[in-house]
Amino acid sequence: MPDDRKPTVRRRVLGTNLRRLREEHGLHLEHAAEQLSCNISKISRIESGRSPIRPLDLKALLDLYEVKDSVAREGWLSLARESRKQRWWRVLEDRLPQDFLDLIGLEEDTSYCRGFQPGVIDGLFQTKEYAEAVIAGGSPGPLGPDEQTKLDVRLERQKALTRTENPIEVWMILGEAALRQQMGGPAVMRAQLGHLIDLARLPNVTLQVLPFAVGAYRGGPFPFKVYRFPEPSDMQVVLLENHVSHTYLEDPSDVGFYADIFNHLRATSLGEMESKALIEGLVSEVPE
């Protein structure tokens, strides 16, 4: 079986949860290797996401870990099948950093995302023109090849919101500054605010605004997202973004920390209807 040094997000999730099952039963790598009649390195590659797993081998491990419920077993097998699929973004491996490819995989494979963006509209919600302005960063002239690739990928990522099968559920809190900073100029910002109002009507999108009047709040002005994978995995991943890279936190204590911050922000922010009213008011304030 080939060793994939750039594991997909879903394959890593599958491996992480297989390791969790093994450890919950007090078993070592040697026990799993004996069950599959293989060496320990193969189990290690599967659990790290560097190698896919065959359905026959997965069934054998599920037997070892005493997963007997037919629905649960089918969930595991479905996760394995999905992890072996070639995703559209894999052709971009040589043009985009691995941490950005992981972000695309998260939005493609997770079922739920909750997050906070204090100073810029989240990439999932950006119009093409707004995204161009953000990616250009104030530089004049057309986007370069690498920047154009980022724009194309960002627009492709947004299809996760409206895909026919299992669109991702997103609960996003935007800081008021994100709604007032005129990226791309008044016309672009007016269209962007209108786009937010339209997206907020989707049944899988919840949008709140953290107003300036709140003052200080937990967590500070730092963006983050918490992604949750569908069953049978109960895995959650925190995404922290900065100017040059993305950091992913998978430890339950980290997830719990950011979940608490999100709950504080959710309770502190305007409600959905109040947020919509604020955005509508800002549209009228943007100069023609």
Side-chain angles (χ1 to χ4, degrees):
M1 188 177 297
D3 187 0
D4 185 353
R5 302 262 175 205
K6 292 184 177 180
T8 64
V9 171
R10 190 169 289 244
R11 189 182 297 173
R12 195 169 70 240
V13 168
L14 176 63
T16 297
N17 279 275
L18 284 173
R19 184 178 70 247
R20 173 179 58 81
L21 281 179
R22 176 176 58 76
E23 292 174 347
E24 286 176 351
H25 283 74
L27 300 175
H28 300 289
L29 289 171
E30 291 84 352
H31 295 102
E34 182 180 351
Q35 180 78 353
L36 300 189
S37 300
C38 67
N39 54 42
I40 294 175
S41 63
K42 175 178 177 178
I43 303 299
S44 179
R45 290 196 304 271
I46 290 172
E47 291 188 350
S48 66
R50 289 184 291 120
S51 288
I53 184 170
R54 298 180 304 170
L56 187 63
D57 288 341
L58 177 56
K59 290 178 181 178
L61 288 181
L62 293 178
D63 289 340
L64 177 64
Y65 304 149
E66 299 179 341
V67 179
K68 300 177 181 179
D69 181 77
S70 60
V71 175
R73 290 176 70 91
E74 178 53 36
W76 282 100
L77 290 167
S78 175
L79 184 60
R81 287 193 293 269
E82 290 296 314
S83 72
R84 298 174 70 92
K85 287 184 178 179
Q86 183 75 6
R87 304 291 183 170
W88 62 267
W89 63 87
R90 304 310 290 185
V91 299
L92 301 173
E93 283 184 346
D94 296 332
R95 300 165 63 185
L96 295 171
Q98 181 62 37
D99 58 355
F100 190 74
L101 293 172
D102 284 344
L103 170 60
I104 303 171
L106 281 172
E107 291 170 345
E108 188 81 6
D109 291 338
T110 52
S111 60
Y112 184 71
C113 169
R114 47 192 166 159
F116 174 52
Q117 284 286 359
V120 66
I121 306 298
D122 187 76
L124 285 175
F125 295 166
Q126 293 176 4
T127 64
K128 178 176 181 293
E129 293 73 20
Y130 183 96
E132 285 179 336
V134 171
I135 292 172
S139 300
L143 299 180
D146 291 342
E147 294 172 323
Q148 185 63 47
T149 296
K150 290 181 180 179
L151 175 63
D152 294 341
V153 170
R154 185 165 302 182
L155 298 178
E156 187 69 27
R157 283 167 47 201
Q158 295 174 0
K159 294 179 181 179
L161 287 171
T162 56
R163 60 195 178 205
T164 303
E165 187 175 340
N166 300 321
I168 186 172
E169 293 185 41
V170 178
W171 190 327
M172 185 61 57
I173 298 171
L174 298 176
E176 187 173 342
L179 305 176
R180 292 186 178 273
Q181 190 75 33
Q182 292 189 14
M183 301 287 189
V188 170
M189 199 62 203
R190 198 162 43 246
Q192 176 62 73
L193 293 173
H195 185 57
L196 285 178
I197 294 171
D198 291 339
L199 288 176
R201 297 190 181 102
L202 294 175
N204 55 309
V205 173
T206 301
L207 181 61
Q208 289 183 262
V209 176
L210 181 72
F212 288 145
V214 164
Y217 52 88
R218 282 192 62 190
F222 305 107
F224 67 89
K225 292 181 184 176
V226 181
Y227 292 91
R228 185 179 71 204
F229 289 85
E231 294 182 352
S233 170
D234 60 357
M235 184 175 174
Q236 298 187 68
V237 177
V238 175
L239 165 67
L240 304 179
E241 299 180 71
N242 58 43
H243 291 295
V244 296
S245 65
H246 303 79
T247 299
Y248 299 94
L249 308 176
E250 300 178 3
D251 189 276
S253 63
D254 292 324
V255 173
F257 175 78
Y258 281 96
D260 287 343
I261 291 178
F262 179 84
N263 287 333
H264 168 80
L265 292 170
R266 180 186 64 181
T268 306
S269 299
L270 300 176
E272 291 181 71
M273 296 304 296
E274 294 173 298
S275 297
K276 179 174 179 289
L278 175 62
I279 297 173
E280 289 174 338
L282 290 177
V283 172
S284 63
E285 292 181 17
V286 178
E288 295 289 342

